[in-house]
Amino acid sequence: EVQLVESGGGLVQAGGSLRLSCTASGFTFDDYAIGWFRQAGGKKREGVTCISSDGSAYYADSVKGRFTISSDNAKNKVYLQMNTLKPEDTAVYYCAAVVPARCPTYTLGHLDENYWGQGTQVTVSS
């Protein structure tokens, strides 16, 4: 059974930090890129970041310099370190197994995933 399980969301004040984790199972981790997308209430999904199996990382302009994605391939885990959070970062965050060829353009709207998790809520108060 394919599973992607996110954790680490919560409520934080503007300027604070959170670290999200994604644990994958049920598929060959190295066959996919792993991305994070978010969806705020009433808005369309936004690709936040993506990391390829070779470690190349891509970020949306809105989070560049504040968010960092990393992976531990031995543990099938991906992390999203989010610093200097802003109220506009408030959303449900999902990790996803991304078609590798789409990873470089994932944050430009090419949200092409085969699997994704149940999401974790991030709320940033002003």
Side-chain angles (χ1 to χ4, degrees):
E1 179 188 6
V2 171
Q3 280 193 316
L4 287 147
V5 180
E6 303 94 339
S7 62
L11 172 64
V12 64
Q13 287 190 330
S17 298
L18 283 174
R19 188 192 194 210
L20 306 184
S21 298
C22 171
T23 303
S25 62
F27 63 95
T28 303
F29 193 74
D30 290 346
D31 284 351
Y32 289 90
I34 301 295
W36 288 89
F37 68 88
R38 64 187 180 187
Q39 187 163 29
K43 297 185 178 181
K44 68 176 183 179
R45 298 192 297 146
E46 176 188 10
V48 175
T49 180
C50 185
I51 188 166
S52 300
S53 58
D54 67 358
S56 299
Y58 307 88
Y59 298 94
D61 287 344
S62 58
V63 307
K64 206 170 289 183
R66 300 187 297 121
F67 289 13
T68 303
I69 190 171
S70 61
S71 66
D72 184 339
N73 289 3
K75 295 182 178 179
N76 285 10
K77 286 182 178 286
V78 172
Y79 305 98
L80 181 61
Q81 179 67 43
M82 305 187 295
N83 298 330
T84 320
L85 282 160
K86 304 175 181 180
E88 51 264 43
D89 294 318
T90 295
V92 180
Y93 284 71
Y94 301 82
C95 69
V98 176
V99 173
R102 290 299 195 188
C103 190
T105 56
Y106 189 72
T107 61
L108 300 177
H110 294 160
L111 300 171
D112 193 353
E113 311 99 344
N114 281 11
Y115 315 109
W116 54 91
Q118 82 290 349
T120 186
Q121 176 70 48
V122 170
T123 303
V124 184
S125 64
S126 57

